[in-house]
Amino acid sequence: MRGGRGEDLLPFTGQSVELVHDVVPARQLLARLVQEAEAALRKASGYLT
Amino acid sequence: MLRTLLCDLLAIDVPIVLAPFGPWDEVALAAEISDAGALGSVGTAVRSVDELKIQWDQLRSRTDRPFAVNHTGRPFDDAAFAATLAARPAAISFHMGIPAELITRAHDAGIIWLQTVGDVQQAEQALAAGADVLVAQGTEAAGNAGWVATSVLVPAVVDIAGDVPVVAAGGIGDGRGIAAALTLGADGASLGTRFLATTEMAIAQEWKQRIVSASAADAVKVANSERVMPPFTLAQVGRPFAPRALCNPPCRPARG
């Protein structure tokens, strides 16, 4: 763990791994997450009549 | 624009939290995330106080935006905690244990407390102990987490949280999950695994590639993890958390 190789034994990873398809810069990812969230919320609000 | 009351409390621009990664170095990632307007986090596990101070200095040289320093009860390091109080980060996040006395010490230092909870009993105790934010972390989460699904846990915690903001964690891999968290009543979302697969995260490329190629079924609660994990040194509330990881032999998934 101290040597930064704890992942040799236990690479902590969650079930959301199913949705991870790329390795990207953090700022780019954050912007994408916000855009995706906004789009999903707008789509959901469109269901209201 | 995406903004909730969590943003007002933490002085951030978007209601997204970078999950802490224990012993793994995430200073560069946390700096980028905080500087971009979300809440970056750094862990403290197995690091000396001198190492932690260097990390915090590095973080502060890269951004003047808020960040959280994470501590856990597995094991709890009082020297690292005291050093954190002296460093005065915007927030302390805590995992595995609900230490009322530590929350008081953080508040005395003007630091906001984010408490991870894995069930309603823990949430009730965290509220009574004065937590400023509840991080409702579902069993889907990477690392040490509880046993209740995020989709159940978040609204259940929201129902009792009152004015205390709730951050959803566990199983959130993209913006749809963030939107779902907000729809469930949360005021923000914490992401861990998704942020591991970033350019800045200081883990092996091999691990990042495994993340990109893995499926949800590969991320399992690890059987007999207590044989390799540090012991809990703070009292745990309810069933203790256990780690979820990509299973490397001789690792075996837990049954049930």
Side-chain angles (χ1 to χ4, degrees):
Chain A
M1 286 282 183
R2 289 187 59 83
R5 298 297 301 179
E7 65 267 27
D8 290 346
L9 190 61
L10 283 180
F12 287 177
T13 304
Q15 290 182 330
S16 64
V17 73
E18 185 78 49
L19 302 170
V20 180
H21 307 301
D22 53 8
V23 179
V24 293
R27 282 182 191 259
Q28 176 183 327
L29 174 59
L30 188 63
R32 189 169 86 194
L33 290 170
V34 172
Q35 289 167 5
E36 289 173 347
E38 291 173 341
L41 289 169
R42 284 194 200 96
K43 180 180 179 182
S45 71
Y47 299 142
L48 297 173
T49 61
Chain B
M1 192 173 76
L2 203 62
R3 190 173 182 86
T4 70
L5 60 87
L6 184 74
C7 301
D8 298 329
L9 176 65
L10 295 172
I12 56 179
D13 300 330
V14 292
I16 295 172
V17 178
L18 166 66
F21 297 133
W24 286 285
D25 182 354
E26 59 181 313
V27 171
L29 174 59
E32 280 294 286
I33 292 299
S34 285
D35 207 59
L39 184 71
S41 301
V42 286
T44 55
V46 304
R47 298 284 174 194
S48 69
V49 170
D50 286 343
E51 287 174 316
L52 293 174
K53 288 179 178 178
I54 290 172
Q55 287 196 352
W56 300 333
D57 286 345
Q58 289 173 340
L59 195 43
R60 284 191 158 126
S61 73
R62 298 183 183 212
T63 184
D64 58 3
R65 299 301 304 271
F67 61 88
V69 176
N70 178 258
H71 290 266
T72 84
R74 190 178 199 180
F76 176 66
D77 184 333
D78 193 65
F81 187 78
T84 302
L85 295 180
R88 294 286 200 277
I92 287 174
S93 62
F94 202 90
H95 216 80
M96 297 180 282
I98 303 173
E101 186 246 332
L102 300 182
I103 297 175
T104 299
R105 287 169 64 187
H107 287 165
D108 289 345
I111 299 170
I112 296 168
W113 190 274
L114 282 69
Q115 178 66 50
T116 295
V117 297
D119 59 37
V120 171
Q121 180 188 12
Q122 293 171 20
E124 289 171 337
Q125 192 156 329
L127 290 169
D132 300 295
V133 176
L134 300 180
V135 181
Q137 185 190 47
T139 190
E140 304 96 312
N144 288 282
W147 308 90
V148 180
T150 300
S151 58
V152 172
L153 180 65
V154 170
V157 171
V158 167
D159 283 349
I160 66 162
D163 295 332
V164 175
V166 176
V167 171
I172 300 171
D174 61 24
R176 294 171 298 180
I178 297 171
L182 299 178
T183 303
L184 288 170
D187 304 285
S190 175
L191 287 79
T193 299
R194 173 61 269 195
F195 281 123
L196 287 175
T198 54
T199 308
E200 293 85 350
M201 182 61 200
I203 59 172
Q205 287 302 316
E206 179 186 331
W207 186 2
K208 296 182 188 181
Q209 289 308 311
R210 284 190 70 193
I211 287 171
V212 169
S213 61
S215 69
D218 298 323
V220 300
K221 284 289 199 187
V222 178
N224 302 315
S225 59
E226 66 279 1
R227 295 179 184 175
V228 296
M229 292 292 299
F232 295 101
T233 58
L234 294 184
Q236 300 301 295
V237 178
R239 186 179 180 186
F241 285 10
R244 183 178 297 279
L246 296 174
C247 216
N248 296 323
C251 157
R252 290 183 300 107
R255 293 181 185 277

